[in-house]
């Protein structure tokens, strides 16, 4: 676990670097596409949602929901990714939804920098955004 300092402009700069953003999103898609068929199924996305701990309430404590409500929640999120409603999420749909999510995060963060704890793995888009900003600062020094 590491700590980063981030704000909305950091996230937007990461998204505006099309090569970095596309590479990161594509790598995330590839890691989720367990059967390598080029699309994400509900079960592949559900495993990702569960690993992201979307329902974590307070510092590692998960929110308890009945299984049917949990399924409805995950299905709802999945339908947001499945733009053409064909039952699978292709790479273009995944890129599009990730861009919307990252824009929402940037808007939510605003211009006030915050400290955030992130996992040390290379899958965190927020960590990648902070690393990209740090690299640019190092290059200009």
């Amino acid at each position: 676990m590491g700590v980063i300092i981030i704000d909305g402009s950091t996230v937007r700069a990461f998204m505006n670097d099309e090569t970095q953003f596309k590479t990161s999103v594509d790598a995330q898609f590839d890691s989720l596409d367990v059967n390598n068929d080029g699309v994400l199924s509900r079960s592949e996305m559900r495993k990702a949602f569960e690993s992201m701990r979307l329902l974590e309430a307070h510092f590692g404590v998960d929110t308890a929901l009945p299984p049917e409500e949990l399924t409805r929640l995950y299905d709802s999120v999945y339908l947001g990714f499945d733009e053409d409603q064909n039952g699978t999420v292709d790479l273009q749909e995944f890129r599009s939804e990730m861009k919307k999510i990252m824009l929402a995060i940037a808007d939510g963060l605003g211009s006030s920098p915050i400290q955030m704890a992130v996992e040390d793995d290379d899958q965190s888009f927020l960590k990648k955004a902070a690393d990209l900003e740090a690299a640019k600062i190092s290059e200009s020094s």
Side-chain angles (χ1 to χ4, degrees):
M1 177 123 356
V3 175
I4 60 172
I5 298 174
I6 195 166
D7 67 5
S9 66
T10 304
V11 176
R12 287 184 189 284
F14 173 65
M15 291 175 51
N16 290 335
D17 186 324
E18 289 186 31
T19 302
Q20 283 287 335
F21 186 71
K22 184 178 174 187
T23 300
S24 298
V25 170
D26 291 3
Q28 182 71 33
F29 181 90
D30 290 343
S31 73
L32 298 175
D33 184 15
V34 186
N35 63 0
N36 297 314
D37 64 353
V39 294
L40 300 178
S41 65
R42 285 180 192 267
S43 64
E44 287 171 323
M45 290 284 285
R46 181 166 179 154
K47 287 177 189 169
F49 297 152
E50 289 170 350
S51 72
M52 288 185 245
R53 302 181 59 91
L54 294 177
L55 299 177
E56 187 173 291
H58 300 286
F59 305 107
V61 177
D62 292 334
T63 302
L65 292 176
E68 62 279 353
E69 192 173 334
L70 194 57
T71 297
R72 259 193 319 275
L73 176 65
Y74 286 137
D75 284 348
S76 170
V77 174
Y78 184 83
L79 290 173
F81 278 85
D82 186 12
E83 292 174 355
D84 61 9
Q85 303 300 300
N86 70 349
T88 60
V89 175
D90 64 31
L91 181 57
Q92 289 304 106
E93 290 172 316
F94 189 74
R95 283 181 190 153
S96 173
E97 192 63 22
M98 289 308 301
K99 190 167 202 159
K100 291 175 195 172
I101 290 169
M102 294 301 288
L103 281 171
I105 290 170
D107 289 346
L109 289 172
S111 61
S112 298
I114 63 165
Q115 283 187 334
M116 183 180 292
V118 294
E119 295 292 331
D120 286 331
D121 67 8
D122 287 340
Q123 297 298 318
S124 168
F125 292 131
L126 296 179
K127 183 176 182 313
K128 288 180 181 188
D131 289 347
L132 180 64
E133 182 172 307
K136 287 179 181 178
I137 290 169
S138 292
E139 288 174 5
S140 67
S141 298

